[in-house]
Amino acid sequence: MNAALVAVYAFRETLRRRVFLAVLVLTTAFVALYWLGARFVFSKTSGFSGNPVVDENVVRGASVFGLALFATYFLGCVLAIFLTLGAIRGEAERGLLQPLVARPVGRSSLIGGRLLAAVLVCVPYVVVVYAIVLAITRHTLHWAPDRQLEPMLALMLAVTIIAALSLLGSVFLAPIANGITVFMLLGIGMVAGLLGQIGVVMKIHSLERIAEASSWIAPFEALYQRSLFALTAETSGVTKTVLSLGPFGGPQAGPSQLWLWSLGYLALVTAAVLAAFARLDL
Amino acid sequence: MPPALTTRALVKRYGRTTALAGVDLEIAPGELVGLLGPNGAGKSTLTKIVCGIVRSSGGEAKVCGARAGSRSARAAIGYLAELFRFPDWLSAEEVLVLHQRLASSRGGADERRDLLGLVGLTDARRVRVSAMSKGMQQRLGVAQALVGRPRLLLLDEPTSALDPAGRRTVRELLERLREREIAVLLNSHLLSEVELVCDRVAILSHGRLVAAGAMNELTRSRGLEVETSAGVRLIEDVGRAQVPQLVRELVAAGEDVFSVRLVRSTLEEAFLELTGSDAA
Ligand SMILES: Nc1ncnc2c1ncn2[C@@H]1O[C@H](COP(=O)(O)OP(=O)(O)O)[C@@H](O)[C@H]1O
Ligand SMILES: [Mg+2]
């Protein structure tokens, strides 16, 4: 009840901050760019593989849509981070938090409300952008991913985890330091993921270990990999091999328990935020 | 009725800094107590522990019999922080609505009207915080702290950002709170203000309570100021009881006595004496 109240006010605050306008404009620009790019790719590519066994439509579709997934993931994360980076320390420094915390509202309601507000913005955002780029891909490239729901669910969970991590950081760090830290974490996760892909393709075991470890430490990255993997999950043969050499390498399905672990990870991060905030002197 | 506030051997350490070194303080229901002390004495820390936004390192604090920080203790307090801000897109009325919800107050529109009237913001109820002067925001802060009929009001430097007229408004407001039987802990380093409204004063220095008592207990008699044909002079170490005798003696000595006034040390003098050099 109180968490919902806090969420409503946090949500209205974001609406006020013109964040939505900026996001709307930039997302429209991205979607337009994607649409142009996809049309361009469709009209200018045919017979590029020189191999009749390779399904060029799949290679083209999966590569271009892979790019769209990356952009959706990245924009969703940017939104998640900016909505939460100053939620605790930042707002306490501005004096906004103290009047609320002194009220007979559990601190957990405050955290729950803030997380809810962020998730209610960035998860629908990911869903909408995903749906739009999927429609564009179907229309212009005449291709659709093998699994259509899974990439979306994976990105939804990934941005939720990023929001929770940024909220955790906001208990300890000033807003700018927190923003930098979470972006770095995102970047490191990406590098580890790419190293892992190289390792798998080139059969380098130590790199594969890194990829494995990173999917436990940074499940948001593993979820993103999973979303890429799901695009061509049922594709096989030469086409699959060609795809795995492409710009997005051979995305990994990740551990079989990825979904469970990601939910557990989210629960752990949320518990850590609650514990840290409970002992914070304001 | 249990005291509005009791602290026993209350200690707070921030790392190596000891902000409170064992404070015992009691505020009776409806009592208006001024908490004085130089900057860094621990006034804000004490207030924050009482309202539950800072955790103590030792000792205990109780609000109306409930452990400070507990839900029922927080339901019994109203708090105005030293540095606070309301979302600047809310109107005065909306700020109160938010806090009514958070405090589960059933006061509704009547309570809001009453509180806005009390702080003189009736005409500004639709004005957004972003369009309010510092003084208006401060008064809105006081109204916010009164939402939900608190038994104990904690005001941390409520007037330090105000001009003399704004200070006066807050002072008058505190006087009116007496009628509502709300106990008040008023943090301030502005002595005159405390002197004017408080029933009792507690002086904090380096995290310790160095004095507590009614105003006339903290200030002491400095003697008698006498104006005679020979001029004005201060006669020390005499009290009220000795005045008739003294006047007779002066008259007998052939002096014309124009006025006689008992002089007490001011709160400021008591304060400087008790807190020593750190008040400079
Ligand atoms: N969050 C904090 N972290 C570390 N030290 C603090 C913190 N808050 C207050 N202090 C220290 O505790 C002491 C008391 O501070 P405070 O209660 O704000 O004093 P006052 O309100 O009387 O000016 C000061 O020495 C101050 O530096
Ligand atoms: Mg202070």
CSV table of all heavy atoms in Angstrom, one decimal, chain A residues 281-282, chain B residues 14-15 17-20 37-46 48 82 156-157 187 204, ligand 1:
chain,number,residue,atom,x,y,z
A,281,ASP,N,22.3,5.9,8.1
A,281,ASP,CA,22.0,7.1,8.9
A,281,ASP,C,21.7,8.2,7.9
A,281,ASP,O,22.6,8.5,7.1
A,281,ASP,CB,23.1,7.4,9.8
A,281,ASP,CG,23.2,6.5,11.0
A,281,ASP,OD1,22.2,5.8,11.3
A,281,ASP,OD2,24.3,6.3,11.6
A,282,LEU,N,20.6,8.8,8.1
A,282,LEU,CA,20.3,9.9,7.1
A,282,LEU,C,20.7,11.3,7.6
A,282,LEU,O,20.5,11.6,8.7
A,282,LEU,CB,18.8,9.9,6.7
A,282,LEU,CG,18.4,8.6,5.9
A,282,LEU,CD1,16.9,8.4,6.0
A,282,LEU,CD2,18.9,8.8,4.5
B,14,TYR,N,29.7,8.3,15.0
B,14,TYR,CA,29.9,8.2,13.6
B,14,TYR,C,31.4,7.8,13.4
B,14,TYR,O,32.2,8.7,13.4
B,14,TYR,CB,29.6,9.5,12.9
B,14,TYR,CG,28.2,10.0,12.9
B,14,TYR,CD1,27.8,11.1,13.7
B,14,TYR,CD2,27.2,9.4,12.1
B,14,TYR,CE1,26.5,11.5,13.7
B,14,TYR,CE2,25.9,9.8,12.1
B,14,TYR,CZ,25.6,10.9,12.9
B,14,TYR,OH,24.3,11.4,12.9
B,15,GLY,N,31.7,6.6,13.2
B,15,GLY,CA,33.1,6.2,13.0
B,15,GLY,C,33.8,6.6,14.3
B,15,GLY,O,33.5,6.2,15.4
B,17,THR,N,34.0,9.8,15.4
B,17,THR,CA,33.4,11.0,16.0
B,17,THR,C,32.3,10.6,16.9
B,17,THR,O,31.4,9.8,16.6
B,17,THR,CB,32.7,11.9,14.9
B,17,THR,OG1,33.6,12.0,13.8
B,17,THR,CG2,32.3,13.2,15.4
B,18,THR,N,32.4,11.1,18.2
B,18,THR,CA,31.3,10.8,19.1
B,18,THR,C,30.4,12.0,19.1
B,18,THR,O,30.8,13.1,19.5
B,18,THR,CB,31.8,10.6,20.5
B,18,THR,OG1,32.7,9.5,20.5
B,18,THR,CG2,30.7,10.3,21.5
B,19,ALA,N,29.2,11.8,18.5
B,19,ALA,CA,28.3,13.0,18.3
B,19,ALA,C,27.5,13.1,19.6
B,19,ALA,O,27.1,14.3,20.0
B,19,ALA,CB,27.3,12.7,17.2
B,20,LEU,N,27.1,12.0,20.3
B,20,LEU,CA,26.4,12.1,21.6
B,20,LEU,C,27.1,11.2,22.5
B,20,LEU,O,27.4,10.0,22.2
B,20,LEU,CB,25.0,11.6,21.4
B,20,LEU,CG,24.0,12.5,20.5
B,20,LEU,CD1,22.7,11.8,20.4
B,20,LEU,CD2,23.9,13.9,21.1
B,37,GLY,N,22.9,24.7,21.7
B,37,GLY,CA,24.3,24.2,21.6
B,37,GLY,C,25.0,24.8,20.4
B,37,GLY,O,24.3,25.1,19.4
B,38,PRO,N,26.3,24.9,20.5
B,38,PRO,CA,27.0,25.4,19.3
B,38,PRO,C,26.9,24.4,18.2
B,38,PRO,O,26.5,23.3,18.4
B,38,PRO,CB,28.5,25.6,19.8
B,38,PRO,CG,28.5,24.7,21.0
B,38,PRO,CD,27.2,24.6,21.6
B,39,ASN,N,27.4,24.9,17.0
B,39,ASN,CA,27.4,24.0,15.8
B,39,ASN,C,28.2,22.7,16.1
B,39,ASN,O,29.3,22.8,16.7
B,39,ASN,CB,27.9,24.7,14.6
B,39,ASN,CG,26.9,25.7,14.0
B,39,ASN,OD1,25.7,25.4,14.2
B,39,ASN,ND2,27.4,26.7,13.5
B,40,GLY,N,27.7,21.6,15.8
B,40,GLY,CA,28.4,20.3,16.0
B,40,GLY,C,28.3,19.7,17.4
B,40,GLY,O,28.9,18.7,17.7
B,41,ALA,N,27.4,20.3,18.2
B,41,ALA,CA,27.2,19.9,19.5
B,41,ALA,C,26.5,18.5,19.6
B,41,ALA,O,26.6,17.8,20.5
B,41,ALA,CB,26.5,20.9,20.4
B,42,GLY,N,25.7,18.2,18.6
B,42,GLY,CA,25.0,17.0,18.5
B,42,GLY,C,23.4,17.2,18.6
B,42,GLY,O,22.7,16.2,18.7
B,43,LYS,N,23.0,18.4,18.4
B,43,LYS,CA,21.5,18.7,18.4
B,43,LYS,C,20.8,17.9,17.3
B,43,LYS,O,19.8,17.2,17.6
B,43,LYS,CB,21.3,20.2,18.3
B,43,LYS,CG,22.0,21.1,19.3
B,43,LYS,CD,21.7,22.5,19.1
B,43,LYS,CE,22.1,23.1,17.7
B,43,LYS,NZ,23.5,23.2,17.5
B,44,SER,N,21.3,18.0,16.1
B,44,SER,CA,20.6,17.3,15.0
B,44,SER,C,20.6,15.8,15.2
B,44,SER,O,19.6,15.1,14.9
B,44,SER,CB,21.2,17.7,13.7
B,44,SER,OG,21.0,19.1,13.4
B,45,THR,N,21.8,15.3,15.6
B,45,THR,CA,21.9,13.9,15.8
B,45,THR,C,20.9,13.4,16.8
B,45,THR,O,20.2,12.4,16.6
B,45,THR,CB,23.3,13.6,16.3
B,45,THR,OG1,24.2,14.1,15.4
B,45,THR,CG2,23.5,12.1,16.5
B,46,LEU,N,20.7,14.1,17.9
B,46,LEU,CA,19.7,13.7,18.9
B,46,LEU,C,18.3,13.7,18.3
B,46,LEU,O,17.6,12.7,18.5
B,46,LEU,CB,19.8,14.7,20.1
B,46,LEU,CG,18.7,14.4,21.2
B,46,LEU,CD1,19.1,13.2,22.0
B,46,LEU,CD2,18.7,15.6,22.2
B,48,LYS,N,17.5,13.4,15.2
B,48,LYS,CA,17.4,12.3,14.2
B,48,LYS,C,17.2,10.9,14.8
B,48,LYS,O,16.5,10.1,14.3
B,48,LYS,CB,18.6,12.3,13.3
B,48,LYS,CG,18.6,13.5,12.3
B,48,LYS,CD,19.9,13.5,11.6
B,48,LYS,CE,20.0,14.7,10.6
B,48,LYS,NZ,21.3,14.6,9.9
B,82,GLU,N,16.5,19.9,9.5
B,82,GLU,CA,17.2,21.1,9.3
B,82,GLU,C,17.3,21.5,7.8
B,82,GLU,O,17.0,22.6,7.4
B,82,GLU,CB,18.6,20.9,9.9
B,82,GLU,CG,19.5,22.1,9.9
B,82,GLU,CD,20.8,21.9,10.7
B,82,GLU,OE1,21.1,20.7,11.0
B,82,GLU,OE2,21.5,22.8,11.0
B,156,ASP,N,14.1,21.1,13.9
B,156,ASP,CA,15.6,21.3,13.9
B,156,ASP,C,15.9,22.6,13.2
B,156,ASP,O,15.8,22.7,12.0
B,156,ASP,CB,16.2,20.1,13.1
B,156,ASP,CG,17.7,20.0,13.4
B,156,ASP,OD1,18.2,20.9,14.0
B,156,ASP,OD2,18.3,19.0,13.0
B,157,GLU,N,16.3,23.6,13.9
B,157,GLU,CA,16.6,24.9,13.4
B,157,GLU,C,15.5,25.4,12.5
B,157,GLU,O,15.8,25.7,11.3
B,157,GLU,CB,17.9,24.9,12.6
B,157,GLU,CG,19.1,24.2,13.3
B,157,GLU,CD,19.9,25.2,14.2
B,157,GLU,OE1,19.5,26.4,14.3
B,157,GLU,OE2,20.9,24.7,14.8
B,187,ASN,N,15.3,22.8,18.4
B,187,ASN,CA,16.7,22.9,18.2
B,187,ASN,C,17.1,24.2,17.7
B,187,ASN,O,16.5,24.7,16.8
B,187,ASN,CB,17.2,21.9,17.1
B,187,ASN,CG,17.6,20.6,17.7
B,187,ASN,OD1,17.3,20.3,18.8
B,187,ASN,ND2,18.2,19.8,16.9
B,204,LEU,N,23.5,21.6,25.1
B,204,LEU,CA,24.3,20.5,24.7
B,204,LEU,C,25.7,21.0,24.2
B,204,LEU,O,25.8,22.1,23.6
B,204,LEU,CB,23.6,19.8,23.5
B,204,LEU,CG,23.9,18.4,23.2
B,204,LEU,CD1,23.5,17.5,24.4
B,204,LEU,CD2,23.0,18.0,22.0
C,1,LIG,N1,26.5,11.5,9.0
C,1,LIG,C1,27.5,11.9,9.7
C,1,LIG,N2,28.7,11.3,9.6
C,1,LIG,C2,29.8,11.6,10.3
C,1,LIG,N3,29.8,12.5,11.3
C,1,LIG,C3,28.6,13.2,11.5
C,1,LIG,C4,27.4,12.9,10.7
C,1,LIG,N4,26.4,13.7,11.2
C,1,LIG,C5,27.0,14.4,12.2
C,1,LIG,N5,28.3,14.1,12.4
C,1,LIG,C6,29.1,14.8,13.4
C,1,LIG,O1,28.5,14.7,14.6
C,1,LIG,C7,28.7,15.8,15.4
C,1,LIG,C8,27.3,16.4,15.8
C,1,LIG,O2,26.7,16.9,14.6
C,1,LIG,P1,25.2,17.5,14.6
C,1,LIG,O3,24.3,16.6,15.4
C,1,LIG,O4,24.9,17.8,13.2
C,1,LIG,O5,25.4,18.8,15.4
C,1,LIG,P2,24.5,20.1,15.5
C,1,LIG,O6,23.2,19.8,14.9
C,1,LIG,O7,24.4,20.4,17.0
C,1,LIG,O8,25.2,21.2,14.8
C,1,LIG,C9,29.5,16.8,14.5
C,1,LIG,O9,30.9,16.6,14.9
C,1,LIG,C10,29.3,16.2,13.1
C,1,LIG,O10,30.5,16.5,12.4
